[in-house]
Amino acid sequence: MNPYVQQLDAILPTGLTGTVMESDGATVAVAGFPAPVGAVARIETTSADGLPAEVIGFRDQWTLVSPIGALQGVRRGQRVRLVQTSRTVQVGDGLLGRVIDAHGSTIDGGHECLLSARQPVHAAGPNATQRPRIDAPLSTGIRAVDGMLTVGRGQRLGIFAGSGVGKSVLLGMMARGTSANIRVIALIGERGREVNDFIERDLGPEAMQQTVVVVATSDQPAVARVQAVLTATAVAEYFRDTGNEVLLLVDSLTRLAMAQRALGLAAGEPPTTRGYPPSVFGLLPRIVERAGRTKTGSITAFYSVLVEGDDLNEPVSDTVRGLLDGHIVLSRDLAAKGHYPAIDVLASISRVMPDVTSEDHQASVSLLRQQMSTHREYADLIAIGAYQRGASETVDAAIDAKPEIDKFLRQQVKECSTVEQARQAVTQLAAQCKNRKPTPVTQEA
């Protein structure tokens, strides 16, 4: 079949209808409605526009749909009409500088976008054998990342953090300082107040011109929060396929998992670890595998993970860490000391760093990490004065190097760096550590 005909079949309304039989929480059961999972439907309520919904599963002879909005006005016997058999989103350069919702509609009060292209929301990732190797670095604008955890174009990383340790500010710094020419940011389950704060304070008007922001706030239904991540990924795929280097920031995968948990349990799935049904652990790899590098462009993705109780081994964190090409851990202890960005370098890793940096750079980073590790090992003894300088040349060197390393890792919110600047700074720090003379051992009378 002609691909254009297939696209029309997917987006044009059909004559298939069903009848509302019952509601259970945020789920509506519809009789006589054999629509596929993922199809878009509309419940014909008293409102002129009706209530949009998505098919999420089946129970006995009924089809389960999750309305994208409040259930007020829905009653037994109302008609449900199939709108699309598969969801698509309108895309194009007109989205740059705009804020859209989970359906791709603008919500920033500006004019409607004139977009001629459509992108499927549910799509497979690039073929594994056709993905080019990641061989070039991408600047994030953050020295600690560019210097110690260098990121490659097309890499996928997680940002693991508890609440209140500077995760949103870090994402804003990346969006402003990246060398990627297009940014797509998904804000999932955020408080409504924080959306404008992020756009105006953390992102800024200059970076916003080359950015598409997709928003689904915490008061929106679970299906809208899941769709917002899929929509953001589809938008990023469009720009990648048109030859751009795209930075995709998703905040956060934890809220996506919670939304999918609500949908899965409503559809009758059995709860497993911490109440998460199997569909959650099936959705996460499908999302992250869609990012990456292709022959035409790349999507470099950062997925934030809200760590519950600072436990990096909770189910979502543990699963995501195994799916990605590296992780950046934000430390509450560093944040409490005013060390921002609060990146715990020793607990973080970039798996493609050896492929995008020189051997000299890697050797310099290895030396600095050794100094940091030694200082952390003896931190308690140093703090209480139990360690006497001169007892170990290695520990003395770590003590002497710490102020300069901390200075390098700290960065003001408005500061911006590049991979080359960070590399030079790391090389200079490593040279200073090598050339520093050991502290002489003092003899007591």
Side-chain angles (χ1 to χ4, degrees):
M1 182 183 289
N2 187 294
Y4 295 106
V5 175
Q6 290 180 327
Q7 190 176 32
L8 285 174
D9 287 343
I11 66 177
L12 290 179
T14 72
L16 181 63
T17 61
T19 305
V20 173
M21 300 303 295
E22 68 175 33
S23 65
D24 183 7
T27 305
V28 174
V30 184
F33 192 64
V37 172
V40 183
R42 189 171 299 279
I43 303 173
E44 297 179 350
T45 63
T46 53
S47 169
D49 296 330
L51 180 62
E54 179 173 317
V55 177
I56 63 171
F58 308 95
R59 185 173 64 222
D60 298 327
Q61 302 300 314
W62 292 346
T63 299
L64 303 179
V65 302
S66 180
I68 307 171
L71 283 177
Q72 281 79 5
V74 176
R75 60 176 174 78
R76 183 183 176 90
Q78 287 177 327
R79 280 289 178 193
V80 179
R81 185 174 298 277
L82 178 63
V83 177
Q84 297 176 11
T85 55
S86 61
R87 182 176 292 278
T88 61
V89 60
Q90 290 184 303
V91 291
D93 291 346
L95 288 177
L96 295 175
R98 306 304 301 272
V99 183
I100 62 176
D101 62 12
H103 320 297
S105 303
T106 55
I107 56 173
D108 53 11
H111 59 82
E112 286 295 324
C113 298
L114 297 178
L115 307 169
S116 57
R118 283 184 176 271
Q119 190 79 10
V121 170
H122 296 276
N127 188 300
T129 60
Q130 297 177 2
R131 292 176 183 253
R133 290 193 62 190
I134 297 173
D135 56 8
L138 178 87
S139 290
T140 64
I142 300 172
R143 281 194 302 269
V145 176
D146 291 344
M148 305 291 287
L149 305 163
T150 310
V151 175
R153 293 180 182 178
Q155 188 175 355
R156 302 158 305 175
L157 292 99
I159 299 176
F160 294 78
S163 57
V165 295
K167 171 171 48 65
S168 296
V169 175
L170 182 69
L171 293 176
M173 292 173 68
M174 286 183 176
R176 287 195 310 274
T178 182
S179 58
N181 55 328
I182 301 293
R183 298 94 161 171
V184 179
I185 303 174
L187 303 178
I188 311 303
E190 293 282 359
R191 294 181 287 272
R193 174 190 62 80
E194 293 181 327
V195 174
N196 269 342
D197 285 351
F198 179 85
I199 294 172
E200 297 175 7
R201 179 194 63 198
D202 298 331
L203 186 58
E206 185 176 348
M208 185 64 191
Q209 294 176 5
Q210 296 298 313
T211 302
V212 182
V213 180
V214 185
V215 174
T217 52
S218 58
D219 60 329
Q220 295 185 16
V223 66
R225 283 173 271 150
V226 173
Q227 287 174 4
V229 179
L230 296 172
T231 296
T233 305
V235 171
E237 287 172 330
Y238 164 78
F239 284 109
R240 177 192 63 192
D241 295 342
T242 53
N244 292 283
E245 302 292 340
V246 183
L247 178 68
L248 173 63
L249 304 176
V250 177
D251 184 18
S252 67
L253 277 189
T254 303
R255 297 193 183 105
L256 167 69
M258 290 178 175
Q260 182 60 37
R261 176 173 62 184
L263 294 178
L265 294 177
E269 288 188 68
T272 55
T273 309
R274 294 202 183 180
Y276 288 105
S279 63
V280 171
F281 303 103
L283 175 65
L284 291 175
R286 291 202 305 272
I287 291 287
V288 302
E289 282 296 327
R290 291 171 65 178
R293 186 183 176 194
T294 65
K295 295 179 180 179
T296 56
S298 69
I299 300 175
T300 306
F302 286 85
Y303 301 96
S304 74
V305 179
L306 187 62
V307 182
E308 298 180 8
D310 294 339
D311 179 12
L312 291 174
N313 295 315
E314 58 94 20
V316 174
S317 300
D318 198 40
T319 300
V320 171
R321 194 165 55 245
L323 295 173
L324 299 176
D325 306 318
H327 52 271
I328 297 172
V329 178
L330 302 189
S331 165
R332 190 174 299 278
D333 290 339
L334 289 176
K337 297 173 182 176
H339 180 120
Y340 289 103
I343 298 173
D344 187 344
V345 173
L346 295 179
S348 307
I349 190 172
S350 170
R351 292 192 176 99
V352 304
M353 183 175 177
D355 298 326
V356 298
T357 55
S358 65
E359 292 184 359
D360 289 342
H361 185 180
Q362 295 169 37
S364 298
V365 170
S366 178
L367 176 60
L368 295 183
R369 290 177 73 101
Q370 289 174 15
Q371 302 279 24
M372 296 171 67
S373 178
T374 300
H375 191 278
R376 178 173 295 184
E377 182 181 352
Y378 286 85
D380 292 339
L381 294 177
I382 296 170
I384 64 175
Y387 174 78
Q388 297 296 319
R389 289 184 68 91
S392 168
E393 292 185 4
T394 303
V395 179
D396 287 350
I399 294 172
D400 293 336
K402 188 176 190 319
E404 290 300 320
I405 294 176
D406 285 347
K407 183 180 178 181
F408 167 76
L409 296 177
R410 285 191 173 101
Q411 187 171 335
Q412 296 296 321
V413 172
K414 299 299 182 181
E415 277 188 82
C416 189
S417 178
T418 66
V419 167
E420 183 57 28
Q421 291 170 344
R423 184 196 64 79
Q424 292 176 2
V426 166
T427 302
Q428 292 173 1
L429 272 176
Q432 291 175 10
C433 291
K434 289 180 181 178
N435 298 330
R436 184 174 287 116
K437 295 180 180 180
T439 305
V441 178
T442 57
Q443 298 292 336
E444 293 185 3

